[in-house]
Amino acid sequence: MKRSRYVLLLAAFLLLAVQGRAQQGATSDAANGIAFFKGTFGEALAKAKQENKPLFVDFYAVWCVPCKKMAKTVFTQEEVGKYFNEHFISLQLDAEKGENVEIARNYKVAAYPTVAFIAPDGKALSVNTGAMDKDELMEAAKIVAGERVSFEELYNKYKADNSDLDVQQQLLLKAPSFLQAQEGMEADKWVTRLQKLYKNYIAAKAPLKLINENDYKIILTLEGDEDKEHKQYVIDLINDHLDDWTKAVGKAPSYYIVEANDLLAEDLAKDGNAKYKEYVEKVKSQYAKAYGVVGLKGITPYEKSRLYFDALYNLYKNKDVDGYVKAMQIYFGKMEGNLRSADYGKAAQNLYMAAGKSLKSKDHEVAIQWAEKALAQEDAVMDRVNYMVMIGDSYRELKNYAKAREFYNQAFAETLRLENMEMPQAMLQGAIKQKLSTLELLEK
């Protein structure tokens, strides 16, 4: 069941919510590393045609810490520089600046870092999202250069012998970067094929042969949220052998179980479906060991989950705002010492999402208090803008237009810190200006 969401300013930028401090570029100038071309994308592509080499493009954002780390620790290595300088024309592009925004969009760059290998005619050969170490980058490069087996060649091997699990593992590890380079119906075709392959692969290796870093990486990248039945199957596969998973991978599988179970409970609670209680009960029974990694102080994971999801269910199912506020006050008291700014911000946002226009003056006052607590503890610019706008919206509903204007203006001023994020900055400022214009009409 789909719910209408209270749309704040940041809906289009969720992938950008993990904030780093502004960096002064992500270029690499080490003598032995990659020699990046100094020029535009068009000029680099022309040079690639002239020399009949693929183009390697590092799409970065100046605020992106992993981008900076790759530039300093991977692109500067002698082995990497020697190989890339021989086989590619290499270019670094600030994907949020000028014409680069459209170029990045053409290659489906949606998060940073993203590195792409592009044929001299401009066609994407491989698009890889996320930070890569030296070995991962070299492997991607050698596939493009024809020195490693390509995705299509691996797929042909799989079709010739669909029982070879090693080939299937290699295919699934390469699938994300391959899919990102596909377009339209071709992309849809491959998604369907790989979803089927993935599920068959999991079933063939479950439960014990899956317990390794590569298969955990495959699960993380390919197990989505659409097929909840299969996701539950995977969660239980991991949980049933959690000690073995922990020895092989560390604590990450426990966090995977916790996050997945919480998400399932939250979706059901927001849908007004009492089945959320089944997932809450798993916190103290079936998944107790996984939840043990959370390390709460003064409250058990089960008590935390019960308090929060019961409050959420009552709010969305019964529109009981008073009950929700009382329950959340108890929750905050019990969670003292474990709370983050996002906990207060999320509590306020749920009021808007579940009750919206039916909120009373006293409810807006509570929302303001919670959002202000979130704001006081938050450093990330986008989250601060979000909370300021929420506070401004509540003051607007309280008809305190002077305070609403004050917080909208503060939010606008905060966006000025996004000087190296041109597109998000422009979108946020446009939305805030619209709110200020609406405020002017109300004040007349």
Side-chain angles (χ1 to χ4, degrees):
M1 171 178 161
K2 293 185 178 179
R3 298 175 298 277
S4 60
R5 301 276 185 175
Y6 177 84
V7 181
L8 300 176
L9 294 180
L10 307 183
F13 306 110
L14 292 180
L15 285 174
L16 301 177
V18 178
Q19 188 98 8
R21 291 187 180 276
Q23 308 292 324
Q24 296 302 313
T27 58
S28 166
D29 57 0
N32 296 324
I34 297 176
F36 285 100
F37 178 78
K38 305 298 182 184
T40 66
F41 177 82
E43 292 167 344
L45 197 60
K47 186 173 178 63
K49 290 179 182 178
Q50 181 183 1
E51 297 189 15
N52 194 29
K53 293 180 179 179
L55 179 64
F56 168 71
V57 182
D58 168 36
F59 290 100
Y60 71 90
V62 293
W63 50 266
C64 169
V65 174
C67 301
K68 191 72 172 179
K69 185 176 180 180
M70 278 189 71
K72 287 185 175 180
T73 65
V74 179
F75 299 157
T76 55
Q77 294 193 37
E78 184 174 357
E79 180 185 351
V80 174
K82 182 177 179 181
Y83 191 85
F84 275 71
N85 295 339
E86 179 180 349
H87 292 87
F88 305 99
I89 302 300
S90 299
L91 178 70
Q92 288 184 302
L93 285 185
D94 180 348
E96 295 181 336
K97 184 176 181 180
E99 66 178 10
N100 298 343
V101 173
E102 185 62 29
I103 294 168
R105 186 180 297 118
N106 289 340
Y107 291 101
K108 297 189 286 187
V109 176
Y112 308 107
T114 291
V115 297
F117 295 89
I118 298 169
D121 64 0
K123 181 181 178 181
L125 300 172
S126 174
V127 181
N128 307 266
T129 299
M132 305 172 78
D133 61 24
K134 183 202 75 173
D135 292 339
E136 291 169 331
L137 183 64
M138 290 293 287
E139 175 70 11
K142 289 179 179 180
I143 290 171
V144 172
E147 297 179 16
R148 292 285 191 274
V149 178
S150 70
F151 184 89
E152 290 90 341
E153 289 171 326
L154 277 173
Y155 190 74
N156 288 334
K157 282 187 176 183
Y158 160 70
K159 288 197 298 183
D161 179 8
N162 62 12
S163 64
D164 190 330
L165 294 176
D166 289 337
V167 169
Q168 292 179 40
Q169 186 186 65
Q170 293 179 60
L171 262 177
L172 294 171
L173 286 169
K174 297 178 189 296
S177 60
F178 174 79
L179 285 172
Q180 199 167 347
Q182 307 308 305
E183 297 181 352
M185 293 181 64
E186 191 69 14
D188 294 340
K189 177 182 72 177
W190 279 108
V191 166
T192 301
R193 287 175 176 173
L194 290 168
Q195 283 177 338
K196 182 179 179 180
L197 170 58
Y198 166 72
K199 290 179 180 179
N200 289 340
Y201 175 79
I202 295 294
K205 293 189 74 172
L208 298 179
K209 291 182 179 180
L210 284 169
I211 304 174
N212 59 79
E213 290 187 1
N214 280 333
D215 284 335
Y216 184 66
K217 185 184 293 186
I218 288 170
I219 289 170
L220 280 181
T221 55
L222 298 181
E223 183 63 53
D225 297 322
E226 295 80 12
D227 188 341
K228 294 189 185 302
E229 183 177 346
H230 192 267
K231 183 152 192 170
Q232 186 66 66
Y233 167 69
V234 169
I235 294 168
D236 290 339
L237 272 181
I238 296 174
N239 188 70
D240 290 346
H241 301 274
L242 188 56
D243 288 341
D244 294 325
W245 276 100
T246 302
K247 289 178 184 177
V249 185
K251 293 182 179 180
S254 290
Y255 286 109
Y256 180 85
I257 293 168
V258 170
E259 291 171 6
N261 191 63
D262 283 354
L263 182 60
L264 290 167
E266 184 170 352
D267 284 346
L268 288 167
K270 287 182 176 180
D271 281 340
N273 188 332
K275 285 190 69 176
Y276 80 92
K277 294 180 181 180
E278 297 176 13
Y279 294 90
V280 172
E281 290 303 308
K282 290 181 180 182
V283 174
K284 69 174 182 179
S285 56
Q286 187 177 354
Y287 301 151
K289 184 176 289 187
Y291 274 86
V293 305
V294 177
L296 296 174
K297 299 177 182 178
I299 187 172
T300 66
Y302 172 71
E303 188 178 7
K304 170 185 180 292
S305 297
R306 183 177 54 78
L307 285 171
Y308 179 72
F309 292 118
D310 284 355
L312 206 62
Y313 173 78
N314 188 37
L315 175 65
Y316 279 84
K317 173 70 173 179
N318 303 318
K319 307 303 178 188
D320 181 3
V321 176
D322 289 342
Y324 174 73
V325 170
K326 290 177 183 176
M328 290 306 294
Q329 297 291 16
I330 294 171
Y331 174 79
F332 291 143
K334 294 276 189 178
M335 282 287 288
E336 187 176 4
N338 302 295
L339 290 169
R340 304 162 302 162
S341 61
D343 294 316
Y344 287 108
K346 193 173 182 180
Q349 188 162 316
N350 277 321
L351 281 176
Y352 293 110
M353 292 166 64
K357 293 293 184 181
S358 66
L359 293 177
K360 300 174 183 176
S361 294
K362 61 185 179 65
D363 305 324
H364 282 290
E365 290 170 357
V366 169
I368 289 170
Q369 292 174 11
W370 288 348
E372 284 182 334
K373 286 183 178 181
L375 184 61
Q377 301 174 38
E378 186 58 67
D379 293 324
V381 174
M382 285 192 170
D383 289 331
R384 287 180 60 79
V385 171
N386 191 26
Y387 298 145
M388 288 173 182
V389 169
M390 289 168 64
I391 295 169
D393 286 350
S394 278
Y395 275 124
R396 183 191 64 203
E397 295 304 314
L398 292 170
K399 294 184 171 52
N400 189 337
Y401 300 136
K403 292 293 287 186
R405 181 176 297 281
E406 175 186 333
F407 277 92
Y408 289 152
N409 284 332
Q410 285 184 27
F412 190 91
E414 195 76 18
T415 67
L416 299 177
R417 293 172 59 192
L418 301 172
E419 57 182 342
N420 293 314
M421 300 170 66
E422 296 175 3
M423 182 174 65
Q425 184 187 63
M427 293 289 288
L428 290 170
Q429 289 179 350
I432 295 170
K433 286 178 181 178
Q434 183 63 44
K435 287 181 176 291
L436 287 166
S437 297
T438 301
L439 201 60
E440 288 181 4
L441 294 174
L442 293 172
E443 289 174 316
K444 291 181 179 179

